[in-house]
Each structure stands twice: as structure tokens, then as C-alpha cells.
Amino acid sequence: MASALSAHAQSAANAAADWPNKPIRWVVPFPPGGAMDAIARTLGERAGKALGQPFVIENRPGAGGNIGAELVAKSPADGYTLMITSIGMATNKPLYGKLSYDPVKDFAPVSLLAVVPNVLVVNASQSKLRSVDELIAAARQSPGKITYGSAGNGTSIHLAGEVFSSMTQLDLVHVPYKGSSPALTDLLGGQIDLMFDSVTSARPHLQSGKLRALAVTTAKRSAALPQVPTLAEAGVPDYEVSPWFAAFVPAGTPRPVLHKLQAALVSALKQPEVQARFDAIGAEAVGSSPDELAAHLARESTRWTQLITQRGIRPD
């Protein structure tokens, strides 16, 4: 047995020494153009230069990220396929009930990459609301009347609203859309009252004065919107929803290869060019060890499973 273990360790070491010797496929389980896609492309370019092989971005959108996740789960565990994903890794199992993959058993965590805060916004020209306290007072005065849009059931934008409603015991009306863009269009057009939108898509409209920010959802203020208070500061103690992005590879990927990949990504996160690009989309670099990401996923899975079950949330 000792001989077999030694041979296996030597084989893994040899694989790491030779890796990578061909392009690396980075699966993005959502369409191009969003924060997730931008993070993958930015980091892939820098990490690819460091490793001597290009990262080839492959967008595989659909089913809340499940199509891309299934593809990666069933790919060879050789370090040549990885996936960037987000909160869906913790929410899709309780949302969909039955998946064709296991978010824990079928993947090996690599690193947390970034956090992109959500921001509670209203139409600046049509809404009288100027603070979270005013929103809470208005919602209590008119239960079931105030509407908030989202990118769809179970998205971080929706869950941010569900946590807010639950913690404040307010009766808000959720209006799901097929993506953030149509929801934002209706908010700008006055068809819905508010939205917990991503900083990435909301900031241009905040800068133009079309939207007004009431609070951000993260535990600390966003570097992209430093003047905007957190929801905890604005009157909802202990509120925190931090939309995160992370890298995973198929389970069974040799540990030396995984650690080599993790080191390249974390190094890229520290580069000034990457940080400048992240600043432009409102993302905040994180970086972590595989074990830290595994612990984070476990905490997130427990939290969102409880909320989704309690609130009876189902996919669109």
C-alpha cells in the first residue's frame, strides 16, 4: 500500500510539473457581458501569461448556471477545465431540488475571486424615498404595494430582497425578470419601485442621476460607492448579502495542479491592471486558499438552503 501511495504521489507531482502544456478552458455558465464574464476574462488573461498557456473563455449559459456546471462536473479532472461561478453553487440544489451534479462532491474548490456588492436603488426622478428608514415606513404603511424587481427567482438580486423582507418583516412584492437588464429598464421607466441591483449595472445610472442609491448589501461599504451606507448602517442591523465569485475544477484534479492554478489566480488578483479593471465594474478582489473556499461554500449553502426553504422560493 505504501508503495502504491508513493507511486500515486509521484504521478501527481509529474502531472503538475508538466501542467499546463495546452490551453485551459474556463467555463462561464452565464452570457458574455456581465460581471462574471468580465472577471473571468480579466483574470484568465493574466493567469494565462503567468502559466504560459492561454485561458479560453467558453460561455455556457442556461438554467441558472446548471448547464455550465454539469459540463465542468463531467469534464476530465486534469486541470484543463475550470469554472467561475457564484452564489448559485450554494443555492441551486435547494432551488431545483434535483441536479445532474453535486455542487460539493463533483467539484474541487480553487479560490474565492471577488465580491460584487448589490445596491438598493430607486428611480431618482419618480421615487420620494431617500433612505432605508423611509422605505421601511412606507412599506409598513402600505403592505403588499411596494414592488421590487430582480434578475429572476433565486438570483442574488432576488435573495437580497428576500433577506431584507424577512429581517424587516415587510410585505414587498417581488417581480422577477429574465435578467437584470429588463428589470432595470422597468425601474428606470417607473414600472417597479425599487431593485437590489448589482453595482456593476447600477453605477452608470447612479452616475447619470437616473437612479438613487439607498444602501449597499455588503457588510462594509463598497469602494465603488463609498458615500452609500450599508443596509446594516442604514437601519437593518446584521444585514449582509455579499454576492461572490469563485473558481472550481472537477473533483479529482491532482492537488499539485490545483495549487498551481490557485497560485496563478491569486497572483493575478494582486496585479494593478486587474484591480483597475475590477474597480471599473465595481468588483472587489478577494483571493483564498481551496480550504477557505470550501468552508465559505459550506456556510453559504447552509444559509441559503434555510432561507429558500423558509420562504418557499422556486425557480422561474
Side-chain angles (χ1 to χ4, degrees):
M1 182 178 292
S3 177
L5 289 173
S6 177
H8 177 75
Q10 185 60 47
S11 175
N14 290 339
D18 188 49
W19 182 90
N21 56 26
K22 63 180 181 180
I24 299 164
R25 177 173 64 162
W26 196 337
V27 175
V28 180
F30 287 90
M36 182 183 292
D37 186 71
I39 290 168
R41 293 179 188 276
T42 301
L43 290 178
E45 180 182 353
R46 272 65 180 191
K49 288 180 179 179
L51 292 170
Q53 291 290 343
F55 280 59
V56 180
I57 305 300
E58 185 174 325
N59 296 91
R60 288 295 187 98
N66 286 327
I67 291 175
E70 180 182 10
L71 172 69
V72 175
K74 296 179 178 179
S75 295
D78 55 9
Y80 290 100
T81 301
L82 74 152
M83 174 177 70
I84 183 172
T85 187
S86 61
I87 194 172
M89 204 68 167
T91 60
N92 280 355
K93 193 168 184 177
L95 275 173
Y96 290 88
K98 187 175 182 180
L99 300 176
S100 59
Y101 64 92
D102 188 297
V104 175
K105 295 179 181 179
D106 291 339
F107 294 91
V110 180
S111 177
L112 273 167
L113 302 175
V115 167
V116 179
N118 286 335
V119 55
L120 172 55
V121 289
V122 296
N123 187 308
S125 63
Q126 298 185 29
S127 177
K128 297 179 180 179
L129 301 174
R130 294 188 171 276
S131 70
V132 173
D133 282 342
E134 289 182 7
L135 167 58
I136 292 173
R140 286 185 175 151
Q141 185 175 3
S142 303
K145 300 294 184 182
I146 294 179
T147 57
Y148 73 97
S150 82
N153 287 340
T155 60
S156 71
I157 295 172
H158 173 211
L159 295 176
E162 289 286 348
V163 173
F164 179 76
S165 298
S166 176
M167 293 183 71
T168 56
Q169 298 183 321
L170 295 177
D171 181 12
L172 302 178
V173 179
H174 173 227
V175 183
Y177 291 80
K178 292 187 180 298
S180 172
S181 181
L184 192 57
T185 297
D186 272 9
L187 178 62
L188 292 168
Q191 280 75 47
I192 55 176
D193 297 311
L194 56 93
M195 188 174 172
F196 291 81
D197 196 22
S198 167
V199 166
T200 304
S201 57
R203 187 162 61 168
H205 301 290
L206 292 168
Q207 292 171 336
S208 70
K210 293 180 180 179
L211 293 180
R212 178 163 58 246
L214 304 186
V216 294
T217 65
T218 41
K220 63 179 183 179
R221 295 194 181 198
S222 167
L225 301 170
Q227 75 283 7
V228 179
T230 67
L231 270 158
E233 291 174 329
V236 189
D238 299 322
Y239 182 101
E240 187 257 328
V241 175
S242 298
W244 49 270
F245 298 87
F248 291 82
V249 291
T253 298
R255 295 290 290 183
V257 170
L258 188 152
H259 285 293
K260 198 171 179 180
L261 175 60
Q262 184 264 352
L265 291 172
V266 171
S267 177
L269 285 167
K270 299 176 182 178
Q271 295 180 16
E273 298 89 348
V274 169
Q275 294 181 356
R277 176 58 180 148
F278 276 26
D279 288 344
I281 62 173
E284 299 171 10
V286 182
S288 75
S289 70
D291 288 344
E292 288 169 337
L293 174 53
H296 178 76
L297 178 60
R299 291 191 298 270
E300 287 284 279
S301 296
T302 297
R303 177 189 188 185
W304 296 120
T305 296
Q306 291 175 346
L307 181 80
I308 289 166
T309 301
Q310 291 169 357
R311 306 285 290 187
I313 301 170
R314 292 291 177 265
D316 296 334

